[in-house]
Amino acid sequence: MAATRPDKHLRADAERNRQRIIAAARRIFADEGLGVSMRHIAQCAEVGEPTLRRRFPTKADLVAAVFEDKARAYADAAAKALTEPDAWHGFTTYVESVAGMQLGDRGFTEVLTMTFPRSIRLERERRRAYENIGMLIARAKAAGALREDFTPEDIILVLIAHAGIVAGGGDIAGKLSPRLIAYLLQAFAAPGTAPLPAAPTMTETYRALLRMHGDDRGAETS
């Protein structure tokens, strides 16, 4: 029994370090986005960078651990919106919810553009979110409430536009955000005042988001 105590102690220390790293990364990503270095995160967590790297070999591993709950909430928001009796209210509530998530976390939009091949759970939540969003859009169109030329990529367009509020709004971002979202929702309502230009493909949209965040490779950065 005595021989097992050091192992238990080491495991407890390792778990405490892991939680400190995740907590520090969550704060930093929310405030500054995902561009911060692993060294800076280690310093804020008060652990050595080698300790951080043992737990999370790449930034993608750390980001996946930090944002798994947020990805689940993102998918859940769309699922909840599908239960609303009024299809338009469900759609608008979802857009407002996503804007609120983005407003409170600068790293949120960036995570939605990344791929996490080693994080099965996070990728599963993102796929679930995309499927729910597609159903939400189809439902609102079938009700005659959402303009017919709206596409799932337009949700990303909302996130891109709203990212400017999050990044540059400062103390009044909370006031600017609902006004921008209200303008956009009015533009999305059927039938629309004029035809829209052709929507970009999902691949084009994804690449534009990566360029916006200064990364042409996705989440595989260190």
Side-chain angles (χ1 to χ4, degrees), residues 32-92:
E32 303 178 37
L34 304 186
V36 295
S37 68
M38 294 285 268
R39 179 175 299 177
H40 178 53
I41 293 169
Q43 290 172 344
C44 292
E46 298 182 342
V47 301
E49 188 172 352
T51 297
L52 187 154
R53 294 283 184 177
R54 281 195 297 272
R55 301 301 304 180
F56 304 101
T58 70
K59 186 184 285 186
D61 296 320
L62 178 57
V63 169
V66 169
F67 283 95
E68 185 176 310
D69 289 345
K70 184 64 70 72
R72 186 180 303 110
Y74 179 59
D76 286 346
K80 181 179 179 181
L82 285 169
T83 67
E84 290 284 345
D86 183 280
W88 177 245
H89 183 258
F91 175 81
T92 59

Coordinates of all heavy atoms in Angstrom, one line a residue, residues 32-92:
E32 N -8.1 37.4 -25.1 CA -7.1 37.7 -26.1 C -7.3 37.0 -27.4 O -6.6 37.3 -28.4 CB -5.7 37.6 -25.6 CG -5.4 38.3 -24.3 CD -4.0 38.1 -23.7 OE1 -3.1 38.0 -24.5 OE2 -3.9 38.0 -22.5
G33 N -8.1 35.9 -27.5 CA -8.2 35.1 -28.6 C -7.1 34.0 -28.5 O -6.5 33.8 -27.5
L34 N -7.0 33.2 -29.6 CA -6.1 32.1 -29.6 C -4.7 32.3 -30.1 O -3.9 31.4 -30.1 CB -6.7 31.0 -30.6 CG -8.2 30.6 -30.3 CD1 -8.6 29.4 -31.2 CD2 -8.4 30.2 -28.8
G35 N -4.4 33.6 -30.4 CA -3.0 33.9 -30.8 C -1.9 33.9 -29.8 O -0.8 34.0 -30.1
V36 N -2.3 33.7 -28.5 CA -1.3 33.7 -27.5 C -0.4 32.5 -27.5 O -0.8 31.4 -28.0 CB -2.0 33.8 -26.1 CG1 -2.7 35.1 -25.9 CG2 -2.9 32.6 -25.9
S37 N 0.8 32.6 -27.0 CA 1.8 31.5 -27.1 C 1.5 30.5 -25.9 O 1.0 30.8 -24.9 CB 3.2 32.0 -27.0 OG 3.4 32.6 -25.7
M38 N 2.0 29.3 -26.2 CA 1.9 28.3 -25.1 C 2.8 28.7 -23.9 O 2.5 28.4 -22.8 CB 2.4 27.0 -25.7 CG 1.5 26.4 -26.7 SD 0.0 25.7 -26.1 CE 0.5 24.0 -25.8
R39 N 3.9 29.4 -24.2 CA 4.8 29.9 -23.1 C 4.0 30.8 -22.2 O 4.1 30.8 -20.9 CB 6.0 30.5 -23.7 CG 6.9 31.1 -22.6 CD 8.2 31.6 -23.2 NE 8.9 30.6 -23.9 CZ 10.1 30.8 -24.6 NH1 10.6 32.0 -24.7 NH2 10.7 29.8 -25.2
H40 N 3.2 31.7 -22.8 CA 2.5 32.7 -22.0 C 1.4 32.0 -21.2 O 1.2 32.4 -20.0 CB 1.8 33.7 -22.9 CG 1.0 34.8 -22.3 ND1 1.5 35.5 -21.2 CD2 -0.3 35.1 -22.4 CE1 0.5 36.3 -20.8 NE2 -0.6 36.1 -21.5
I41 N 0.8 31.0 -21.7 CA -0.2 30.3 -21.0 C 0.4 29.6 -19.8 O -0.1 29.6 -18.7 CB -0.9 29.3 -21.9 CG1 -1.8 30.0 -23.0 CG2 -1.9 28.3 -21.1 CD1 -2.3 29.1 -24.1
A42 N 1.6 29.0 -20.0 CA 2.3 28.3 -19.0 C 2.6 29.2 -17.8 O 2.5 28.9 -16.6 CB 3.5 27.6 -19.5
Q43 N 3.1 30.4 -18.2 CA 3.4 31.4 -17.2 C 2.2 31.8 -16.4 O 2.3 31.9 -15.1 CB 4.0 32.7 -17.9 CG 5.4 32.4 -18.4 CD 5.9 33.6 -19.3 OE1 5.1 34.5 -19.7 NE2 7.2 33.6 -19.5
C44 N 1.1 32.0 -17.0 CA -0.2 32.4 -16.3 C -0.7 31.3 -15.5 O -1.3 31.6 -14.4 CB -1.2 32.9 -17.3 SG -0.8 34.4 -18.2
A45 N -0.4 30.1 -15.9 CA -0.9 28.9 -15.1 C 0.1 28.6 -14.0 O -0.2 27.7 -13.1 CB -1.1 27.7 -16.0
E46 N 1.3 29.3 -14.0 CA 2.3 29.1 -13.0 C 2.8 27.6 -13.0 O 3.0 27.0 -12.0 CB 1.9 29.5 -11.6 CG 1.5 30.9 -11.5 CD 1.1 31.3 -10.1 OE1 0.7 30.4 -9.3 OE2 1.0 32.5 -9.8
V47 N 3.0 27.2 -14.3 CA 3.7 25.9 -14.5 C 4.8 26.1 -15.5 O 4.8 27.0 -16.3 CB 2.7 24.8 -14.9 CG1 1.6 24.6 -13.9 CG2 2.1 25.1 -16.3
G48 N 5.7 25.2 -15.6 CA 6.7 25.2 -16.6 C 6.1 24.8 -18.0 O 5.2 24.0 -18.1
E49 N 6.7 25.4 -19.0 CA 6.3 25.0 -20.4 C 6.4 23.5 -20.6 O 5.5 22.9 -21.2 CB 7.0 25.8 -21.4 CG 6.4 25.6 -22.8 CD 6.9 26.5 -23.9 OE1 7.7 27.4 -23.5 OE2 6.6 26.3 -25.1
P50 N 7.5 22.8 -20.2 CA 7.5 21.4 -20.4 C 6.3 20.6 -19.7 O 5.8 19.6 -20.2 CB 8.9 21.0 -19.7 CG 9.7 22.2 -19.8 CD 8.7 23.3 -19.6
T51 N 5.9 21.1 -18.5 CA 4.7 20.5 -17.9 C 3.5 20.7 -18.7 O 2.7 19.8 -18.9 CB 4.5 21.2 -16.5 OG1 5.6 20.9 -15.7 CG2 3.2 20.6 -15.8
L52 N 3.3 21.9 -19.3 CA 2.2 22.1 -20.2 C 2.3 21.2 -21.4 O 1.2 20.6 -21.8 CB 2.2 23.6 -20.6 CG 0.9 24.1 -21.4 CD1 0.7 25.6 -21.2 CD2 1.1 23.8 -22.9
R53 N 3.4 21.1 -22.0 CA 3.6 20.3 -23.2 C 3.4 18.8 -22.9 O 3.0 18.1 -23.8 CB 5.0 20.5 -23.8 CG 5.3 21.9 -24.3 CD 4.6 22.1 -25.6 NE 4.9 23.5 -26.2 CZ 4.5 23.9 -27.3 NH1 3.8 23.1 -28.1 NH2 4.9 25.1 -27.8
R54 N 3.7 18.3 -21.7 CA 3.4 16.9 -21.4 C 1.9 16.7 -21.4 O 1.4 15.6 -21.8 CB 4.0 16.6 -20.0 CG 5.5 16.3 -20.1 CD 6.0 15.6 -18.8 NE 5.8 16.4 -17.6 CZ 6.7 17.3 -17.2 NH1 7.8 17.5 -17.8 NH2 6.4 18.0 -16.1
R55 N 1.1 17.6 -20.9 CA -0.3 17.5 -20.8 C -1.0 17.7 -22.2 O -1.9 17.1 -22.6 CB -0.9 18.4 -19.8 CG -0.4 18.2 -18.4 CD -0.6 16.8 -17.8 NE -2.0 16.4 -17.9 CZ -2.5 15.3 -17.5 NH1 -1.7 14.3 -17.1 NH2 -3.8 15.0 -17.6
F56 N -0.4 18.8 -22.9 CA -1.0 19.2 -24.1 C 0.1 19.4 -25.1 O 0.7 20.5 -25.2 CB -1.8 20.5 -23.9 CG -2.9 20.4 -22.9 CD1 -2.7 20.9 -21.6 CD2 -4.1 19.7 -23.2 CE1 -3.7 20.8 -20.6 CE2 -5.1 19.6 -22.2 CZ -4.9 20.1 -20.9
P57 N 0.5 18.4 -25.9 CA 1.6 18.5 -26.8 C 1.5 19.7 -27.8 O 2.5 20.2 -28.2 CB 1.7 17.2 -27.5 CG 1.0 16.2 -26.5 CD -0.1 17.1 -25.9
T58 N 0.3 20.0 -28.3 CA 0.1 21.1 -29.3 C -1.0 22.0 -28.8 O -1.8 21.7 -27.9 CB -0.3 20.5 -30.6 OG1 -1.7 20.0 -30.6 CG2 0.6 19.4 -31.1
K59 N -1.0 23.2 -29.4 CA -2.0 24.1 -29.0 C -3.4 23.6 -29.3 O -4.4 23.8 -28.6 CB -1.8 25.5 -29.7 CG -2.8 26.5 -29.2 CD -2.7 27.9 -29.9 CE -1.5 28.6 -29.5 NZ -1.4 30.0 -30.1
A60 N -3.5 22.8 -30.4 CA -4.8 22.2 -30.8 C -5.3 21.3 -29.7 O -6.5 21.3 -29.4 CB -4.6 21.4 -32.1
D61 N -4.4 20.6 -29.0 CA -4.9 19.7 -27.9 C -5.4 20.6 -26.8 O -6.4 20.2 -26.2 CB -3.7 18.9 -27.4 CG -3.2 17.9 -28.5 OD1 -4.0 17.3 -29.2 OD2 -2.0 17.8 -28.6
L62 N -4.7 21.7 -26.5 CA -5.2 22.5 -25.4 C -6.5 23.2 -25.7 O -7.4 23.3 -24.9 CB -4.1 23.6 -25.1 CG -4.4 24.6 -24.0 CD1 -4.8 23.9 -22.7 CD2 -3.3 25.6 -23.8
V63 N -6.6 23.7 -26.9 CA -7.8 24.4 -27.4 C -9.0 23.5 -27.3 O -10.1 23.8 -26.9 CB -7.6 25.0 -28.8 CG1 -9.0 25.5 -29.4 CG2 -6.7 26.2 -28.8
A64 N -8.8 22.2 -27.8 CA -9.9 21.3 -27.7 C -10.4 21.0 -26.3 O -11.6 20.9 -26.1 CB -9.4 20.0 -28.4
A65 N -9.4 20.9 -25.4 CA -9.8 20.7 -24.0 C -10.6 21.9 -23.4 O -11.5 21.7 -22.7 CB -8.6 20.4 -23.1
V66 N -10.1 23.0 -23.7 CA -10.7 24.3 -23.2 C -12.1 24.5 -23.7 O -13.0 24.9 -23.0 CB -9.8 25.5 -23.5 CG1 -10.6 26.8 -23.2 CG2 -8.5 25.4 -22.7
F67 N -12.3 24.2 -25.0 CA -13.6 24.6 -25.7 C -14.5 23.5 -25.9 O -15.6 23.7 -26.6 CB -13.2 25.3 -27.0 CG -12.8 26.7 -26.9 CD1 -11.4 26.9 -26.9 CD2 -13.6 27.7 -26.8 CE1 -10.9 28.2 -26.7 CE2 -13.2 29.0 -26.6 CZ -11.8 29.3 -26.6
E68 N -14.3 22.3 -25.3 CA -15.2 21.2 -25.5 C -16.6 21.6 -25.0 O -17.6 21.3 -25.6 CB -14.7 20.0 -24.9 CG -15.5 18.7 -25.1 CD -14.9 17.5 -24.5 OE1 -13.7 17.2 -24.8 OE2 -15.7 16.8 -23.8
D69 N -16.7 22.2 -23.8 CA -18.0 22.5 -23.2 C -18.6 23.6 -24.1 O -19.9 23.6 -24.2 CB -17.8 23.1 -21.8 CG -17.4 22.0 -20.8 OD1 -17.6 20.8 -21.2 OD2 -17.0 22.3 -19.7
K70 N -17.9 24.6 -24.6 CA -18.4 25.6 -25.4 C -19.0 25.0 -26.7 O -20.1 25.5 -27.2 CB -17.4 26.7 -25.7 CG -17.9 27.9 -26.5 CD -18.9 28.7 -25.7 CE -18.4 29.4 -24.5 NZ -17.5 30.6 -24.8
A71 N -18.3 24.1 -27.3 CA -18.8 23.5 -28.5 C -20.1 22.7 -28.3 O -21.0 22.7 -29.1 CB -17.7 22.5 -29.1
R72 N -20.2 22.1 -27.1 CA -21.4 21.4 -26.7 C -22.6 22.4 -26.6 O -23.7 22.2 -27.0 CB -21.2 20.6 -25.5 CG -22.4 19.7 -25.1 CD -22.2 19.0 -23.8 NE -21.0 18.1 -23.9 CZ -19.9 18.3 -23.3 NH1 -19.7 19.3 -22.4 NH2 -18.8 17.5 -23.4
A73 N -22.3 23.5 -25.9 CA -23.3 24.6 -25.7 C -23.7 25.1 -27.1 O -24.9 25.5 -27.2 CB -22.7 25.7 -24.8
Y74 N -22.8 25.3 -28.0 CA -23.1 25.8 -29.3 C -24.1 24.9 -30.0 O -25.1 25.3 -30.6 CB -21.8 25.9 -30.1 CG -21.9 26.4 -31.5 CD1 -22.5 27.6 -31.8 CD2 -21.4 25.6 -32.6 CE1 -22.5 28.1 -33.2 CE2 -21.5 26.1 -33.9 CZ -22.0 27.3 -34.2 OH -22.1 27.7 -35.5
A75 N -23.9 23.6 -30.0 CA -24.8 22.6 -30.6 C -26.1 22.5 -29.8 O -27.2 22.4 -30.4 CB -24.1 21.2 -30.6
D76 N -26.0 22.6 -28.5 CA -27.3 22.6 -27.7 C -28.2 23.8 -28.0 O -29.4 23.7 -27.9 CB -26.9 22.5 -26.2 CG -26.4 21.2 -25.7 OD1 -26.5 20.2 -26.5 OD2 -25.8 21.1 -24.6
A77 N -27.5 24.9 -28.2 CA -28.3 26.1 -28.5 C -29.2 25.9 -29.7 O -30.4 26.3 -29.8 CB -27.4 27.3 -28.7
A78 N -28.6 25.3 -30.8 CA -29.4 25.1 -32.0 C -30.5 24.0 -31.7 O -31.6 24.1 -32.2 CB -28.4 24.6 -33.1
A79 N -30.1 23.0 -31.0 CA -31.1 21.9 -30.6 C -32.3 22.5 -29.9 O -33.4 22.2 -30.1 CB -30.4 20.8 -29.9
K80 N -32.0 23.4 -28.9 CA -33.0 24.0 -28.1 C -33.9 24.9 -29.0 O -35.1 24.9 -28.9 CB -32.4 24.8 -27.0 CG -33.5 25.5 -26.1 CD -32.8 26.3 -25.0 CE -33.8 27.0 -24.1 NZ -33.2 27.8 -23.0
A81 N -33.3 25.6 -29.9 CA -34.0 26.5 -30.8 C -35.0 25.7 -31.7 O -36.1 26.2 -32.0 CB -33.1 27.3 -31.7
L82 N -34.7 24.4 -32.0 CA -35.6 23.6 -32.8 C -36.8 23.2 -32.1 O -37.8 22.8 -32.7 CB -34.8 22.3 -33.3 CG -33.8 22.5 -34.4 CD1 -32.9 21.3 -34.5 CD2 -34.5 22.9 -35.7
T83 N -36.8 23.3 -30.8 CA -38.0 23.0 -30.0 C -39.0 24.1 -29.8 O -40.1 23.9 -29.3 CB -37.6 22.5 -28.6 OG1 -37.0 23.6 -27.8 CG2 -36.6 21.4 -28.6
E84 N -38.6 25.3 -30.3 CA -39.5 26.5 -30.2 C -40.7 26.3 -31.1 O -40.5 25.9 -32.3 CB -38.7 27.7 -30.6 CG -37.7 28.2 -29.6 CD -38.3 28.9 -28.4 OE1 -39.5 29.2 -28.4 OE2 -37.6 29.0 -27.3
P85 N -41.9 26.5 -30.6 CA -43.1 26.3 -31.5 C -43.0 27.2 -32.7 O -43.5 26.8 -33.8 CB -44.2 26.7 -30.6 CG -43.7 26.4 -29.2 CD -42.3 26.8 -29.2
D86 N -42.5 28.4 -32.5 CA -42.5 29.4 -33.6 C -41.1 29.3 -34.3 O -40.1 29.6 -33.6 CB -42.7 30.8 -33.1 CG -42.7 31.9 -34.2 OD1 -41.6 32.3 -34.6 OD2 -43.8 32.3 -34.6
A87 N -41.1 28.9 -35.5 CA -39.8 28.7 -36.2 C -38.9 29.9 -36.3 O -37.7 29.9 -36.2 CB -40.1 28.2 -37.6
W88 N -39.6 31.1 -36.6 CA -38.8 32.3 -36.7 C -38.2 32.7 -35.3 O -37.0 33.1 -35.2 CB -39.6 33.5 -37.2 CG -38.9 34.8 -37.3 CD1 -39.2 35.9 -36.6 CD2 -37.8 35.1 -38.1 NE1 -38.4 36.9 -36.9 CE2 -37.5 36.5 -37.9 CE3 -37.0 34.4 -39.0 CZ2 -36.4 37.1 -38.5 CZ3 -36.0 35.1 -39.7 CH2 -35.7 36.4 -39.4
H89 N -39.0 32.6 -34.3 CA -38.5 32.9 -32.9 C -37.3 31.9 -32.6 O -36.4 32.4 -32.0 CB -39.6 32.8 -31.9 CG -39.2 33.1 -30.5 ND1 -38.9 32.2 -29.6 CD2 -39.0 34.4 -30.0 CE1 -38.6 32.8 -28.4 NE2 -38.6 34.1 -28.7
G90 N -37.4 30.7 -33.0 CA -36.4 29.7 -32.7 C -35.1 30.2 -33.4 O -34.0 30.1 -32.8
F91 N -35.2 30.6 -34.7 CA -34.1 31.0 -35.4 C -33.4 32.3 -34.8 O -32.2 32.3 -34.6 CB -34.5 31.3 -36.9 CG -33.4 31.8 -37.7 CD1 -32.4 31.0 -38.3 CD2 -33.3 33.2 -38.0 CE1 -31.4 31.5 -39.1 CE2 -32.3 33.7 -38.8 CZ -31.3 32.9 -39.3
T92 N -34.2 33.3 -34.5 CA -33.7 34.5 -34.0 C -33.1 34.3 -32.6 O -32.0 34.9 -32.3 CB -34.7 35.6 -34.0 OG1 -35.8 35.2 -33.1 CG2 -35.3 35.9 -35.3

